[in-house]
Amino acid sequence: KAGVTQTPRYLIKTRGQQVTLSCSPISGHRSVSWYQQTPGQGLQFLFEYFSETQRNKGNFPGRFSGRQFSNSRSEMNVSTLELGDSALYLCASSFIVGYGYTFGSGTRLTVV
Amino acid sequence: AQKITQTQPGMFVQEKEAVTLDCTYDTSDPSYGLFWYKQPSSGEMIFLIYQGSYDQQNATEGRYSLNFQKARKSANLVISASQLGDSAMYFCAMFVGFKSSSNTGNQFYFGTGTSLTVIP
């Protein structure tokens, strides 16, 4: 079966721009969560969606937002990009919350 | 507060030898899950093994086993018969608020990772 698909794989944006990242979970998975990975801060939780509802949010500024559609696909948006937003953004999906998470390959965002 | 600690930034192991990657955790929640993920240079997080807080036996998955010592709050990963393809970053993670779709406070907590290099 198809795994978690994240698009695009690589992205270069200019400071001040906004960006939208996409995550298609494994078929049947209703939980989608997002993580930011940087060399300095490691893996940090951004937010989690379950059945189109945001259930939990990490400690990130309001510039980071997300949503989940009825088909469980999720998008993450970052507005007014800063250099520090350069990171690998990972999406993970699960059939139920807290068990059997499968990660995608990530989107590597570079802000210049 | 929930916390995962991996104290080994880098480890080296000879091919075909066994290696143990350390992980300690802290949580006051009695229900939690412990996971190990492998992240090769491509970036994808690959699930290796899972241990539930109420599981009596240590988890095993092929060459991977999890040495779960609940009283010590440790969940070390043991890789037997190391292969060159095992060279990667390894992350220990804890999920709290397990299997509760109504619990809005659950999330994964990750350690800082251990970089494993297998030497031929």
Side-chain angles (χ1 to χ4, degrees):
Chain A
K1 60 180 179 184
V4 178
T5 304
Q6 290 189 248
T7 55
R9 284 296 309 275
Y10 302 93
L11 206 51
I12 300 176
K13 287 287 188 178
T14 304
R15 195 169 44 179
Q17 286 187 311
Q18 67 108 27
V19 67
T20 299
L21 312 182
S22 177
C23 172
S24 294
I26 290 174
S27 178
H29 284 193
R30 292 189 294 163
S31 169
V32 174
S33 52
W34 289 87
Y35 295 83
Q36 181 197 63
Q37 185 178 23
T38 60
Q41 300 295 320
L43 277 149
Q44 296 188 90
F45 172 75
L46 280 158
F47 25 66
E48 180 189 12
Y49 289 87
F50 185 82
S51 294
E52 300 181 66
T53 301
Q54 186 181 89
R55 298 185 58 253
N56 198 11
K57 190 177 192 301
N59 190 25
F60 276 82
R63 300 185 297 108
F64 292 81
S65 63
R67 58 178 176 170
Q68 187 180 33
F69 301 95
S70 59
N71 62 357
S72 294
R73 189 177 72 85
S74 177
E75 286 183 349
M76 187 194 113
N77 186 77
V78 187
S79 63
T80 319
L81 284 166
E82 301 177 359
L83 297 179
D85 297 333
S86 294
L88 178 68
Y89 290 88
L90 289 161
C91 162
S93 78
S94 173
F95 178 68
I96 55 173
V97 173
Y99 187 74
Y101 280 89
T102 302
F103 282 81
S105 298
T107 293
R108 194 168 294 278
L109 171 66
T110 302
V111 182
V112 297
Chain B
Q2 335 285 2
K3 189 176 181 181
I4 288 276
T5 303
Q6 293 179 256
T7 58
Q8 306 155 313
M11 290 279 287
F12 292 87
V13 64
Q14 204 76 36
E15 192 179 6
K16 299 181 184 176
E17 297 290 311
V19 63
T20 298
L21 307 184
D22 294 341
C23 172
T24 58
Y25 61 92
D26 190 20
T27 179
S28 57
D29 196 311
S31 178
Y32 53 89
L34 296 162
F35 299 76
W36 277 93
Y37 285 89
K38 171 185 178 182
Q39 187 178 44
S41 56
S42 61
E44 183 179 2
M45 298 283 278
I46 302 168
F47 167 76
L48 295 178
I49 197 167
Y50 161 80
Q51 179 89 39
S53 58
Y54 296 114
D55 293 343
Q56 296 295 316
Q57 292 190 323
N58 287 344
T60 59
E61 291 283 350
R63 295 186 299 111
Y64 304 107
S65 61
L66 199 153
N67 185 2
F68 181 45
Q69 298 189 42
K70 198 169 183 177
R72 292 186 174 186
K73 293 191 174 181
S74 74
N76 298 339
L77 176 70
V78 180
I79 305 174
S80 62
S82 297
Q83 302 172 355
L84 296 178
D86 293 336
S87 294
M89 282 291 289
Y90 288 80
F91 290 93
C92 180
M94 175 175 66
F95 193 92
V96 182
F98 193 59
K99 287 186 178 177
S100 172
S101 61
S102 62
N103 186 336
T104 58
N106 44 26
Q107 61 168 286
F108 262 121
Y109 298 86
F110 283 88
T112 51
T114 295
S115 176
L116 177 67
T117 302
V118 180
I119 304 167

